[in-house]
């Protein structure tokens, strides 16, 4: 009885009893009862498992204390995608007496070279809060060699025997295009120097072993199809004969036919205007057959399919080069700038993908889109009205309500600054995404709450200043054309025209502010809204500033006639 009481006391005292370290169920790991202890499908844990790109092994060591071990396991296992277990004999780790070693199988996201450091620093942070007396001994990237020297062989349905000639011809083309696939795909190891027919014969002979004991391959019902590719060079082909030496240069020759000839042909058609320039198309047309035969030479295929593959490669490259030479920017510097813009778009797109993946925004995007899109029908017309006011009232001196502007033009003029602000914002987001991909230590809370709103505000202010300068430049082009007696260009629904003004009743006085009525020279008029008519008089006697040239009168007191020159009769 005394021994039993002593044992119970030893159990209740912390640090006295020594039990073997037990690893509790962790996140994403089924519990002993078979229930899932992790997050449900689609939660943060499932996101980590689906978005992880690297796998890191971390070895931590600490004292052989059950409480410390349990605390370490709980802290490290709380990270989504991390599995923690005690070291086993197959790990081949040296464990000294009084110490315990834990092995962490951690899933990481981002670039391979920075994943180890990111996982190690995350493990250090987890062991510090709360403090656990465990230290990291080793961290290394899990590397797995990819299976090489294999190819895919697909099982297809044969055309029934006894079918008509046209049906057999159509069946061969359908089989070559993959339309007769049964959905049965085999991964077959390659043998050096083996062509397509020998490979298919070997698969049929070893069908039982390759398919893990399936039935014998029925050659009357099914056939095999290889992926499109060039024929491999056989080992028996010597290097001394001239034909074999020339065969070595087959890939180089095909590259010239597929790239150099289309480039030269496209340059010829784009650079010359003579009808004889279309003779250059003979070069890519004659290369359809050789290029298509080389691309699909790993097994016999229909001639029409080979020509189609050659036309797709050679004709596609010719068309792309021709379109670039004709519609691309002129000059080497302009083409380089266009290429840089395209590269920036690709880099921004991938950076935004890295930023949005595994983030709060990606999980709540369907809820945020209505909130972000709903204000646009109200914000865009207001921005458009502001820009039209800057164009008419600030530069020309004409009130914006006095000019008729369609509603859709108020929204259209605001699309450019809004889109430019969105593009700059996406560039900022892509920078954060690339920083996250390379595991740079940027706090998401600081970015969302502090830095990112400030950058968006700076982008909006910069775009606003740039847009107002463009509006001022457009208004200056308008009144410069009016001064020269030319029809001015329009600006998003504001289409001015030069007219001559005549009073309806010359004997009746007309109220003009500021007067007098300009009848001897053309004036600039816009579609009016209301009873007042506003015109812009290009006469230098009106004043030094362009806003002083606006003249207001009642529309029923005057008549407007198209101007034919720099003076009015």
């Amino acid at each position: 009885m005394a021994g039993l009481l002593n044992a119970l006391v030893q159990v209740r005292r912390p640090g006295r009893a020594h039990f073997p370290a037990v690893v509790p169920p962790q996140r994403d790991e089924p519990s002993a009862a078979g229930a899932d202890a992790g997050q449900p499908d689609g939660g943060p844990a499932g996101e980590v498992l689906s978005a992880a790109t690297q796998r890191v092994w971390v070895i931590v060591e600490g004292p052989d204390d059950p409480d410390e071990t349990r605390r370490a396991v709980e802290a490290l296992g709380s990270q989504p995608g991390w599995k923690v277990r005690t070291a086993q004999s197959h790990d081949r780790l040296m464990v000294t007496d009084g110490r315990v070693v834990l092995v962490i199988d951690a899933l990481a996201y981002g670039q391979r070279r920075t994943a180890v450091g990111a996982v190690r620093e995350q493990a250090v942070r987890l062991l510090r809060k709360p403090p656990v007396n465990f230290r990291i001994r080793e961290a290394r990237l899990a590397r797995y060699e990819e299976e090489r020297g294999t190819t895919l062989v697909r099982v297809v349905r044969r055309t029934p025997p006894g079918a008509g000639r046209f049906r057999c011809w159509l069946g061969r083309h359908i089989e070559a295009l993959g339309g007769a696939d049964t959905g049965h795909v085999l991964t077959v190891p390659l043998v050096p120097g083996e062509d397509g027919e020998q490979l298919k014969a070997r698969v049929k002979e070893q069908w039982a072993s390759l398919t893990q004991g399936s039935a014998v391959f029925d050659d009357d019902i099914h056939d095999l199809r290889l992926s499109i590719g060039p024929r491999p060079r056989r080992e028996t082909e010597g290097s001394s004969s001239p034909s074999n030496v020339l065969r070595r240069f087959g890939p180089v020759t095909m590259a010239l036919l597929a790239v150099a000839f289309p480039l030269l042909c496209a340059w010829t058609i784009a650079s010359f205007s003579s009808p004889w320039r279309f003779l250059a198309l003979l070069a890519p047309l004659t290369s359809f057959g050789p290029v298509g035969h080389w691309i699909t030479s790993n097994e016999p295929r229909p001639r029409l399919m080979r020509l189609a593959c050659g036309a797709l490669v050679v004709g596609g490259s010719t068309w792309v080069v021709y379109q670039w030479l004709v519609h691309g920017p002129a000059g080497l510097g302009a083409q380089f700038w266009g290429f840089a813009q395209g590269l920036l778009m690709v880099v921004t797109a991938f950076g935004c993908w890295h930023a949005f993946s595994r983030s709060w925004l990606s999980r709540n995007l369907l809820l945020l889109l209505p909130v972000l899109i709903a204000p646009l029908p109200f914000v865009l017309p207001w921005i458009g009205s502001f820009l039209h006011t800057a164009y008419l009232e600030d530069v020309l001196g004409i009130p914006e309500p006095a000019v008729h502007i369609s509603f859709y033009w108020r929204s259209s003029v605001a699309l450019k600054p809004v889109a430019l602000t969105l593009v700059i914002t996406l560039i900022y987001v892509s920078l954060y995404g690339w920083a996250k991909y390379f595991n740079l230590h940027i706090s998401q809370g600081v970015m969302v709450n502090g830095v990112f709103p400030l950058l968006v505000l700076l982008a909006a202010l910069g775009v606003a200043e740039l847009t107002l300068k463009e509006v001022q430049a457009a208004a200056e082009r308008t009144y410069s054309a009016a001064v020269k007696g030319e029809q001015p260009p329009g600006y998003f629904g504001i289409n001015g025209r030069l007219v001559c003004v005549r009073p309806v009743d010359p004997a009746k006085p007309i109220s003009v502010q500021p007067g007098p009525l300009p009848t001897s020279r053309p004036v600039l008029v816009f579609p009016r809204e209301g009873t007042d008519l506003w015109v812009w008089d290009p006469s230098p006697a009106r004043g030094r500033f362009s806003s002083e040239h606006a003249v207001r009168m009642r529309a029923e007191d005057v008549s407007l006639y198209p101007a034919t020159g720099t003076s009015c009769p």
Side-chain angles (χ1 to χ4, degrees), residues 130-198:
V132 182
N133 193 15
F134 270 74
R135 299 296 179 265
I136 298 177
R137 179 195 290 184
E138 181 185 0
R140 67 177 183 272
L141 192 67
R143 299 177 181 271
Y144 299 95
E145 295 184 0
E146 297 181 357
E147 186 180 13
R148 298 182 179 180
T150 60
T151 186
L152 297 180
V153 178
R154 294 171 173 82
V155 181
V156 300
R157 290 184 299 272
R158 280 187 180 273
T159 304
R165 186 174 181 179
F166 175 75
R167 187 177 178 183
C168 291
W169 177 86
L170 184 62
R172 287 196 303 269
H173 287 80
I174 292 177
E175 292 175 10
L177 293 173
D181 289 0
T182 61
H184 192 177
V185 184
L186 300 177
T187 302
V188 181
L190 291 174
V191 175
E194 189 180 49
D195 59 10
E197 293 299 322
Q198 295 173 348

Side-chain angles (χ1 to χ4, degrees), residues 433-454:
W434 284 114
K436 188 173 75 169
Y437 176 75
F438 286 101
N439 293 296
L440 300 180
H441 299 291
I442 298 178
S443 174
Q444 186 174 0
V446 174
M447 281 290 298
V448 173
N449 299 327
V451 179
F452 187 72
L454 179 60

Side-chain angles (χ1 to χ4, degrees), residues 388 391-393 396 398-406 410 493-496 525-530 532 534-535:
H388 285 149
Y391 178 88
L392 291 170
E393 193 165 350
L396 300 179
I398 299 176
E400 189 265 344
V403 178
H404 174 72
I405 304 173
S406 300
R410 297 185 187 275
I494 303 178
N495 299 314
V525 66
F526 299 97
R528 65 182 179 87
E529 184 80 20
D532 290 339
W534 286 80
V535 299

